[in-house]
Amino acid sequence: ERPEPEPDQMLVKVNRSLISRGSEIFRRYVLEEAVSPDIMGYSDAGQVVAIGHEIVEFSVGQRVMVSAPHAQYVLAHETGSRKQAYALDDELGHEAATFLPLATSSVMWMRTTPIDPGQTVVILGQGIVGALCAQIVRERSPGSVITVDAQPLRCEISSKLGSDHVIDVSNTDSVKAVKELTNGKGADVVIECVGGNAGIRSFEQAQEMLAPEGVIHLISKYQGAPLPLDGDRFMNKQLIAGIRIDQSREECMSDAAQMLTDGRVRISELITHRLPWQQTADAYHLLYDKPNEALGVILEWD
């Protein structure tokens, strides 16, 4: 259905949307209870087709990104924390704009992580978020960026995106490999982007590969699972989680949009499939059933 905007809303006709494999697939396939469609998706890009009379910063025909569920039409707001529209420059295409919410969070995460120039940074997990972080962390001037994943497809993509070293844990001991690459010292910073049940083992490995006085930054969600923290191994080290910076999300979103525009953050390698919206169910099944074939899946709504 095509909804009608309230005075403080605008109606956006969606052109492209990106499925978030992490949060959406977990909610769709793992949770026992039904999931509200209102939280399935948060990366839409399209055009404003109608506005309420209280809207002053946007106009009909304007290209925008909206953090809203997958749909042909979504209602957006000018301000506020939910379903806020972000105006797109002409240089930023609809496909790239669908990565803007995750790229913005990645900018905020990477600006939170305590990193000194020249340090060795390991990023565990090369899903969309991990791959974005591996690119954005470059603005912190690390000495080396090492990425780790268990899927050959993701390792291949990570290598194409410029990681200094890529470790495929399906055939390599990641802890041993990191120690060898750092001359036995270990990583100065480990950024954990795996999450879920697999993230529990990943968190154990993060502690094992961490250098003395190193830092682990937890980004992923673990769905309530307890994380094993070895007190002796973790002595004199630092553990942080989430985002803790003074910059606003709006400011970081502008920075992320510029990175997507000027090529500092590349997303074309992350897109493995483009499917028409009529095949949305197939798109979800593909992400869940074939993780070594699908990563970034775009839904086409035009």
Side-chain angles (χ1 to χ4, degrees):
E1 297 180 0
R2 174 173 169 157
E4 290 296 324
E6 297 292 333
D8 63 342
Q9 294 177 324
M10 64 193 87
L11 182 66
V12 176
K13 186 178 188 298
V14 178
N15 181 281
R16 297 289 188 273
S17 64
L18 171 70
I19 298 176
S20 171
R21 190 185 187 283
S23 58
E24 290 189 64
I25 296 301
F26 172 77
R27 292 181 180 276
R28 169 65 178 80
Y29 290 90
V30 180
L31 293 182
E32 294 183 3
E33 66 272 17
V35 177
S36 169
D38 194 50
I39 59 173
M40 292 301 286
Y42 47 79
S43 301
D44 298 342
Q47 292 85 27
V48 177
V49 293
I51 60 174
H53 68 265
E54 295 179 7
I55 299 295
V56 295
E57 298 294 333
F58 294 84
S59 59
V60 172
Q62 191 167 6
R63 298 171 62 254
V64 296
M65 185 284 297
V66 186
S67 293
H70 304 288
Q72 289 176 309
Y73 292 94
V74 296
L75 292 170
H77 299 268
E78 198 166 39
T79 60
S81 59
R82 283 184 52 79
K83 300 179 183 176
Q84 182 178 353
Y86 177 84
L88 300 176
D89 291 335
D90 293 339
E91 294 81 8
L92 188 60
H94 284 135
E95 279 195 348
T98 65
F99 285 82
L100 190 51
L102 289 176
T104 300
S105 295
S106 297
V107 166
M108 300 179 79
W109 283 319
M110 293 303 92
R111 291 178 180 176
T112 295
T113 309
I115 301 173
D116 292 330
Q119 287 190 322
T120 298
V121 176
V122 174
I123 299 181
L124 303 178
Q126 284 297 283
I128 292 177
V129 167
L132 291 172
C133 288
Q135 298 177 77
I136 293 168
V137 75
R138 294 292 184 182
E139 73 170 2
R140 303 293 304 279
S141 300
S144 179
V145 175
I146 303 170
T147 55
V148 180
D149 203 279
Q151 296 291 346
L153 170 68
R154 298 182 182 187
C155 291
E156 179 183 352
I157 292 173
S158 183
S159 180
K160 290 179 180 178
L161 291 174
S163 295
D164 296 307
H165 304 280
V166 180
I167 300 171
D168 183 346
V169 294
S170 67
N171 55 38
T172 304
D173 184 319
S174 61
V175 175
K176 181 179 179 181
V178 168
K179 290 294 184 68
E180 290 176 352
L181 289 169
T182 57
N183 297 317
K185 175 186 175 183
D188 298 298
V189 178
V190 177
I191 300 167
E192 211 297 295
C193 299
V194 178
N197 291 329
I200 299 173
R201 175 55 183 153
S202 181
F203 180 70
E204 290 179 325
Q205 293 171 334
Q207 296 173 76
E208 295 172 8
M209 65 177 62
L210 197 62
E213 300 183 358
V215 175
I216 294 179
H217 187 176
L218 299 181
I219 288 176
S220 293
K221 297 180 179 180
Y222 302 88
Q223 288 86 44
L227 291 178
L229 186 63
D230 187 319
D232 291 334
R233 182 186 296 153
F234 211 82
M235 192 66 66
N236 300 323
K237 298 177 176 65
Q238 186 177 13
L239 175 65
I240 65 171
I243 295 169
R244 295 181 65 87
I245 57 174
D246 294 331
Q247 289 176 292
S248 68
R249 185 169 181 86
E250 289 73 21
E251 182 180 352
C252 291
M253 184 171 289
S254 295
D255 291 344
Q258 185 59 46
M259 291 178 184
L260 288 166
T261 300
D262 63 27
R264 280 178 289 167
V265 174
R266 291 156 45 190
I267 54 89
S268 59
E269 291 87 347
L270 299 177
I271 301 173
T272 58
H273 295 79
R274 298 171 177 87
L275 296 174
W277 68 268
Q278 294 91 339
Q279 296 182 33
T280 297
D282 296 332
Y284 276 86
H285 296 328
L286 179 67
L287 281 166
Y288 183 71
D289 294 329
K290 299 181 179 180
N292 197 39
E293 294 181 18
L295 182 57
V297 177
I298 298 285
L299 297 178
E300 301 174 330
W301 296 90
D302 55 1

